[in-house]
Structure formats: structure tokens, C-alpha cells
């Protein structure tokens, strides 16, 4: 497997290709987004419905559970985190299916709005992708934890500082003004580390989903691919953040102007933007990951349609 270097211009070109891919098949991707959003909505509905029925049949226990949630009792938080993990595990084949949809659409291979769900019937996909997600998550947590331990060596307790600003833990948000530059430097370094770790895991996930590489091979490919392209990836992310800040400022200015013209225009424009994000946010994000993977790790052999066997 060849790991290629890409430049900053290549990443922007891949972002442009993502928009072109989605714009060329708007109906397919929009419908796939709607189907994909319905899955977590159904899961949430089941949980909320179950909670409602529980409250109806046992109001005392329901009140005690709500109080425990408000107090963030550890035993309750464990159940919540476990539920979140199970939901993510259930969505892992869907994420991989989105990458397959992007590859098939890009290659001109027959695909539809339900292609993202195609891996749910694949035993091989579950065996490969779910363990990758679990190992990748542990990999991420371990490195962040090691970083915080390293900061302790330099006298910076990031967890204690975070609690001092958390009102739910009895802290004061204004305490942020009293924290020294060393803490905020550590926060910035932690954010940068977290970004690169996520980039490695996303790239490795694409390798795992789109090729026959094993879990360890995919993880190694993701790490090596990002390390080989550290500077352009960081530069690209920085420029995107700056662009988002500028867009946000422009949006605030636009809201002020529209409110002066007519208050209802702000609501209409906001609703339109939310609808566009709902329909095309997923497709553009997964298409970009696909093109980045194809540019760094993909090759002609891997670009052929090779779905995981059932």
C-alpha cells in the first residue's frame, strides 16, 4: 500500500470535488441524508417513549432518576455513556455505507439513497468495523489521558481547572479569567492533538470500510497517512476555521441587516440554511473524507467497487 503526500491545494481540490459530487446527484444524497437522520431519530423516540412510559407507571422512581441525572451521579452517567456507545456502534455500518455510496457514485457504479444501509446485512462488515471503532475510541482516549498526565508533570491539572469553571460541579465560569497562560496553552495543544488523532482515525476508518485491510492495517495506514501529510492537513484545518469564523461574522451582520428590513426574513433564511445543512451536510462531509482517503491511501485497485462480502 502506497501512502502519498498531498499538498494544501490538493485538499482544497478534494473539497471542491466533494461539492461537485453532491451537486451532480442532489436527489440521491438528499434522500440518503433524510433516511440517515431518521435512524437516530427512531432510537431517540424509543428512549423518550420508554422514559415516558416508565414515568407514567412509576412516578417516584422516575423523579429519583431525574434527580440523579441533574446531580450527575456516577452510576447514572455510566448508563448514559453506555447507551451513547451502543448507539454509535449501531451507526458504524451506516458511516461506512456512506463512504461506499460516495465511491460508487464517483466511479459511476449503480447506487441509491439506501446504499448507506447496505452493510447492515454484512457479517464481515460488523466484524471489521465495530472493533475498529472500539479500538479507535480507546486509542483516542488513551492519548488524551497520557497528554493530561504529561501536563500534570508540568504542574497543570486540566481536569481540576475544567471543574473550577463548571457550574454543575459547583464551579464558576468566570474562573476562566483567572487561569494562567500555561493552562490555555495546554488546552490549545490538547485540541491540536485531538484533531490529529481524529484525522488519523477517520482516515483509517475509510481504509477499513473501503478495502480489505485488517483492523491493525487500517489503523496503521490512518496514522501513517496523517503523519506524512501533517503540515498540509493542519494548514487546511486552520484556513477552514478562519473561513468559518468569517462566515459566522458575515452571518451575524446579515441577521442584523435582515432584522432591520423585516424580522420574518431572518427566520426564513435561518430555516433554509438549516434545511440545506440537514440535506447536504452529511454527503459533503463523507465525500470529502472519501476523496482525502483516495488521495492519500487509495489506488486504482482500491477504487474499484469491492463491497465487503456478506
Amino acid at each position: 500500500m502506497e501512502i502519498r503526500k498531498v499538498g494544501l491545494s490538493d485538499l482544497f481540490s478534494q473539497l471542491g470535488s466533494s461539492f461537485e459530487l453532491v451537486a451532480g446527484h442532489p436527489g440521491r444524497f438528499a434522500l440518503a441524508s433524510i433516511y440517515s437522520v431518521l435512524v437516530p431519530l427512531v432510537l431517540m423516540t424509543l428512549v423518550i417513549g420508554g422514559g415516558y412510559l416508565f414515568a407514567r407507571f412509576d412516578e417516584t422512581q422516575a423523579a429519583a432518576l431525574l434527580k440523579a441525572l441533574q446531580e450527575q451521579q456516577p452510576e447514572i452517567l455510566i448508563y448514559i455513556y453506555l447507551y451513547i456507545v451502543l448507539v454509535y456502534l449501531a451507526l458504524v455500518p451506516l458511516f461506512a455505507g456512506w463512504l461506499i455510496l460516495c465511491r460508487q457514485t464517483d466511479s459511476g457504479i449503480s447506487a441509491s439513497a439506501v446504499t448507506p444501509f447496505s452493510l447492515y446485512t454484512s457479517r464481515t462488515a460488523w466484524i471489521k468495523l465495530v472493533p475498529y471503532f472500539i479500538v479507535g475510541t480507546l486509542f483516542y482516549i488513551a492519548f488524551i489521558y497520557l497528554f493530561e498526565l504529561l501536563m500534570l508533570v508540568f504542574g497543570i491539572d486540566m481536569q481540576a481547572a475544567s471543574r473550577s469553571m463548571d457550574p454543575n460541579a459547583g464551579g464558576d465560569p468566570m474562573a476562566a479569567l483567572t487561569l494562567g497562560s500555561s493552562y490555555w496553552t495546554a488546552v490549545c495543544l490538547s485540541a491540536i492533538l485531538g484533531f490529529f488523532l481524529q484525522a488519523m482515525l477517520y482516515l483509517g476508518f475509510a481504509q477499513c470500510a473501503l478495502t480489505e485491510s485488517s483492523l491493525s492495517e487500517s489503523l496503521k495506514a490512518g496514522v501513517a497517512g496523517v503523519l506524512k501529510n501533517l503540515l498540509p492537513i493542519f494548514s487546511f484545518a486552520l484556513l477552514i476555521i478562519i473561513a468559518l469564523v468569517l462566515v459566522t461574522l458575515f452571518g451575524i451582520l446579515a441577521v442584523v441587516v435582515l432584522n432591520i428590513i423585516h424580522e420574518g426574513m431572518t427566520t426564513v433564511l435561518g430555516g433554509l440554511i438549516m434545511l440545506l445543512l440537514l440535506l447536504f451536510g452529511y454527503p459533503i462531509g463523507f465525500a470529502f473524507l472519501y476523496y482525502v482517503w483516495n488521495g492519500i491511501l487509495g489506488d486504482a485497485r482500491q477504487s474499484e467497487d469491492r463491497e465487503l462480502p456478506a
Side-chain angles (χ1 to χ4, degrees), residues 21-22 25-33 98 101-102 105 279-280 283:
L21 183 70
V22 175
H25 305 83
R28 176 187 302 173
F29 283 106
L31 196 56
S33 291
W98 267 100
L101 172 62
C102 293
T105 303
L279 295 178
F280 301 111

Side-chain angles (χ1 to χ4, degrees), residues 118-175:
S118 60
L119 293 182
Y120 275 100
T121 58
S122 171
R123 180 172 174 269
T124 304
W126 282 97
I127 292 173
K128 279 187 63 180
L129 299 173
V130 171
Y132 178 90
F133 177 85
I134 295 173
V135 172
T137 301
L138 294 175
F139 174 84
Y140 179 87
I141 293 173
F143 269 87
I144 294 297
Y145 182 70
L146 287 173
F147 176 81
E148 292 185 355
L149 288 179
L150 179 62
M151 291 300 100
L152 281 175
V153 174
F154 293 97
I156 304 172
D157 191 339
M158 299 183 68
Q159 290 294 330
S162 297
R163 287 194 296 271
S164 70
M165 296 182 288
D166 185 2
N168 294 322
D172 181 8
M174 297 303 294

Side-chain angles (χ1 to χ4, degrees), residues 36-101:
S36 298
V37 169
L38 287 176
V39 173
L41 282 179
V42 169
L43 293 174
M44 288 177 59
T45 302
L46 291 174
V47 172
I48 294 173
Y52 174 75
L53 292 175
F54 176 68
R56 287 290 302 272
F57 284 105
D58 196 333
E59 295 182 3
T60 303
Q61 287 294 328
L65 178 61
L66 182 60
K67 182 181 179 181
L69 285 173
Q70 293 173 340
E71 295 176 352
Q72 296 187 2
Q73 295 181 9
E75 60 271 18
I76 298 299
L77 292 179
I78 289 174
Y79 285 113
I80 293 176
Y81 291 145
L82 180 60
Y83 169 74
I84 293 173
V85 169
L86 291 176
V87 169
Y88 270 105
L89 290 179
L91 295 176
V92 167
L94 178 64
F95 299 152
W98 267 100
L99 292 171
I100 290 176
L101 172 62

Side-chain angles (χ1 to χ4, degrees), residues 34-300:
I34 293 173
Y35 291 157
S36 298
V37 169
L38 287 176
V39 173
L41 282 179
V42 169
L43 293 174
M44 288 177 59
T45 302
L46 291 174
V47 172
I48 294 173
Y52 174 75
L53 292 175
F54 176 68
R56 287 290 302 272
F57 284 105
D58 196 333
E59 295 182 3
T60 303
Q61 287 294 328
L65 178 61
L66 182 60
K67 182 181 179 181
L69 285 173
Q70 293 173 340
E71 295 176 352
Q72 296 187 2
Q73 295 181 9
E75 60 271 18
I76 298 299
L77 292 179
I78 289 174
Y79 285 113
I80 293 176
Y81 291 145
L82 180 60
Y83 169 74
I84 293 173
V85 169
L86 291 176
V87 169
Y88 270 105
L89 290 179
L91 295 176
V92 167
L94 178 64
F95 299 152
W98 267 100
L99 292 171
I100 290 176
L101 172 62
C102 293
R103 182 181 63 180
Q104 291 181 342
T105 303
D106 180 52
S107 303
I109 298 170
S110 177
S112 70
V114 296
T115 298
F117 300 89
S118 60
L119 293 182
Y120 275 100
T121 58
S122 171
R123 180 172 174 269
T124 304
W126 282 97
I127 292 173
K128 279 187 63 180
L129 299 173
V130 171
Y132 178 90
F133 177 85
I134 295 173
V135 172
T137 301
L138 294 175
F139 174 84
Y140 179 87
I141 293 173
F143 269 87
I144 294 297
Y145 182 70
L146 287 173
F147 176 81
E148 292 185 355
L149 288 179
L150 179 62
M151 291 300 100
L152 281 175
V153 174
F154 293 97
I156 304 172
D157 191 339
M158 299 183 68
Q159 290 294 330
S162 297
R163 287 194 296 271
S164 70
M165 296 182 288
D166 185 2
N168 294 322
D172 181 8
M174 297 303 294
L177 300 176
T178 65
L179 296 174
S181 59
S182 58
Y183 168 76
W184 293 110
T185 301
V187 169
C188 291
L189 291 175
S190 177
I192 293 172
L193 174 63
F195 165 74
F196 281 119
L197 288 174
Q198 289 185 47
M200 293 171 183
L201 295 176
Y202 289 153
L203 189 60
F205 181 79
Q207 180 74 6
C208 190
L210 295 173
T211 73
E212 296 174 358
S213 299
S214 65
L215 186 157
S216 59
E217 291 171 342
S218 299
L219 193 58
K220 290 177 184 177
V223 172
V226 171
L227 289 178
K228 193 169 184 176
N229 296 278
L230 211 58
L231 183 58
I233 289 176
F234 179 72
S235 302
F236 176 81
L238 191 60
L239 290 174
I240 290 296
I241 290 172
I242 293 173
L244 288 175
V245 170
L246 294 176
V247 169
T248 301
L249 294 175
F250 176 79
I252 293 172
L253 178 62
V255 167
V256 173
V257 173
L258 289 174
N259 273 329
I260 295 174
I261 299 173
H262 193 285
E263 292 184 3
M265 294 182 66
T266 304
T267 304
V268 173
L269 180 61
L272 179 61
I273 292 174
M274 290 299 296
L275 179 62
L276 290 174
L277 288 174
L278 174 67
L279 295 178
F280 301 111
Y282 272 127
I284 292 173
F286 281 106
F288 180 62
L289 175 57
Y290 161 73
Y291 280 117
V292 171
W293 164 82
N294 200 41
I296 296 176
L297 300 175
D299 56 36

